[in-house]
Amino acid sequence: MRRESRDRPPAVEAPPSDCGPEAAKARRDALSPTERERVERTVSDLLGLLGRAHTMAVLKEFAFAGEPLRFSELEERLGTPPNTLSERLKELTEAGLLTRRAYDEVPPRVEYETTPKARALFPAFGHFYRWAEDHDLDSGVER
């Protein structure tokens, strides 16, 4: 049974209706060949980044946190090995999805915050959660 919409996490929303397969095909078909190539390359690069181990988990934490997060908070929440987490944070920062702010303190403190570019991806998490309310991967049964 579906939860009431008031029970949904406030940090994310379902994608707008212009994100369905037909709308996506129409958008793609309307692009010039040069622009289509650029967009497809960007999508491919994004999927490559998101497909790396722990990247989606890191972004999910930011989507639901709604505030800057420290390395130690992410490490504790995710249980990700420090070297892997450090690499993912570096990649997300280089991609312009996160900003890194180091404070001149002892012990050192570093916070990461999402950029508008990253926040534009967050509605996808709302879509994933809605999908998960209705489907189970292991049972093949729809709810």
Side-chain angles (χ1 to χ4, degrees):
M1 179 176 221
R2 265 187 188 265
R3 292 185 330 202
E4 295 292 324
S5 62
R6 63 176 153 54
D7 293 337
R8 295 190 194 288
V12 295
E13 301 169 4
S17 60
D18 68 346
C19 289
E22 296 85 14
K25 183 178 181 333
R27 275 184 101 144
R28 184 186 64 189
D29 292 346
L31 297 172
S32 71
T34 303
E35 187 65 5
R36 183 174 177 173
E37 183 180 323
R38 184 196 68 78
V39 168
E40 288 181 0
R41 187 175 50 253
T42 300
V43 168
S44 181
D45 291 347
L46 174 65
L47 292 175
L49 175 62
L50 296 179
R52 301 199 74 182
H54 307 285
T55 300
M56 288 294 287
V58 169
L59 287 174
K60 178 182 63 85
E61 288 301 320
F62 281 101
F64 291 109
E67 62 186 10
L69 294 172
R70 296 174 69 170
F71 183 93
S72 59
E73 291 173 307
L74 288 163
E75 186 177 28
E76 182 180 311
R77 291 178 186 187
L78 298 171
T80 304
N83 58 332
T84 302
L85 179 57
S86 180
E87 185 63 25
R88 293 306 164 261
L89 291 169
K90 179 182 175 189
E91 291 167 350
L92 290 166
T93 301
E94 289 173 353
L97 298 173
L98 297 178
T99 58
R100 181 184 188 274
R101 182 170 181 193
Y103 295 86
D104 190 19
E105 299 176 356
V106 177
R109 176 169 60 117
V110 176
E111 288 183 344
Y112 293 87
E113 187 169 12
T114 57
T115 65
K117 190 159 66 167
R119 290 189 292 276
L121 289 172
F122 291 170
F125 289 103
H127 185 74
F128 294 147
Y129 271 74
R130 283 192 181 176
W131 183 90
E133 288 175 343
D134 295 334
H135 307 277
D136 289 319
L137 285 177
D138 57 351
S139 71
V141 175
E142 298 215 13
R143 294 178 181 201

